[in-house]
Amino acid sequence: MENLDSKRLPKHIAIIMDGNGRWAQEKGQDRLYGHFHGVESVRNIVEAAAEIGIKYLTLYAFSTENWDRPAAEVAGLMSLFVDTISKEVPSLHKNNIKLHFIGNLALLPEDAKKALEKATETTAGNTGLELIIALSYSSRWELIEAIQKLAQQVKEGLLLPEDIKEANLSAALATSGFPDPELMIRTSGEYRISNFLLYQLAYAELYFTETRWPDFRKKDLIEAILDFQSRERRFGKTGQQVQTNDENK
Ligand code: IPE
Ligand code: IPE
Ligand code: MG
């Protein structure tokens, strides 16, 4: 941790927590056993992120496409969410963490919706780490929602089509108010985005690790941040421009 440059920390880290099922199957257990152990990694990483001084952490917990998994796995995951959220809120609250949920939450069972609302309300006044859980989330769902919102504003005469700019679109997304992630981590050796924050990840640094999510711990997060800090972020400019801070080079 002492090797981290505290002045160059990513403000926002997003994680695709993948590999629970394989982790369990490698141990001869069923997939839910892996999801259950994945919660320990969530606890560890949330704590570590807060300690390191990360301001925003987005965790991909369940995608729109994950609804198509076997009914027993979906039901097991839903009850795990409800249990975990209810159990963890007191300590999250004590640690000044503010919770947000993004996704098509209308699809969630009633008890899950209630647990999320309560967790959001309880932690609404907190000023520490902003923890964003993507649940029943997909980026294409989010973009369609946003486009519908903007189209409605145009229809009502509140917005001209030519006035639609990055700022309006960002504000219409589920992530409105959060800066774009600078670092995106995916565990378990899969090199894809799987419908996660497609718009927001435009200039994120991508970090992939073979480590399965239930094995991912603080030291792995630090390794990812160190890797991030070793990269040169150019945003379309030349390396020379970035190094000298001179736009004309
Ligand atoms: C990630 O682990 C958790 C969810 C998608 C809910 P997986 O369940 O995708 O685990 P693998 O990829 O099958 O190993
Ligand atoms: C992405 O993982 C979704 C979450 C981690 C919640 P998946 O395991 O569902 O993604 P694919 O199917 O391998 O692309
Ligand atoms: Mg997976």
Side-chain angles (χ1 to χ4, degrees), residues 143-161:
L143 286 165
I144 289 166
E145 288 278 304
I147 291 162
Q148 287 180 356
K149 271 188 229 166
L150 296 175
Q152 190 62 35
Q153 290 172 24
V154 170
K155 188 178 161 199
E156 288 170 17
L158 302 167
L159 184 65
L160 290 170

Side-chain angles (χ1 to χ4, degrees), residues 53-120:
I54 303 302
K55 184 62 193 157
Y56 300 87
L57 176 67
T58 297
L59 300 178
Y60 202 7
F62 192 83
S63 73
T64 306
E65 290 73 22
N66 290 149
W67 286 112
D68 295 331
R69 290 195 178 186
E73 182 172 346
V74 171
L77 277 166
M78 290 302 141
S79 68
L80 185 61
F81 293 142
V82 175
D83 268 19
T84 306
I85 292 160
S86 314
K87 262 195 220 129
E88 299 295 324
V89 164
S91 80
L92 294 171
H93 188 39
K94 205 179 86 212
N95 290 317
N96 199 21
I97 293 168
K98 184 169 177 173
L99 266 164
H100 307 267
F101 295 90
I102 58 169
N104 191 356
L105 306 177
L107 300 180
L108 295 171
E110 271 320 303
D111 58 342
K113 272 191 258 185
K114 284 218 182 76
L116 307 193
E117 274 164 28
K118 187 153 177 265
T120 310

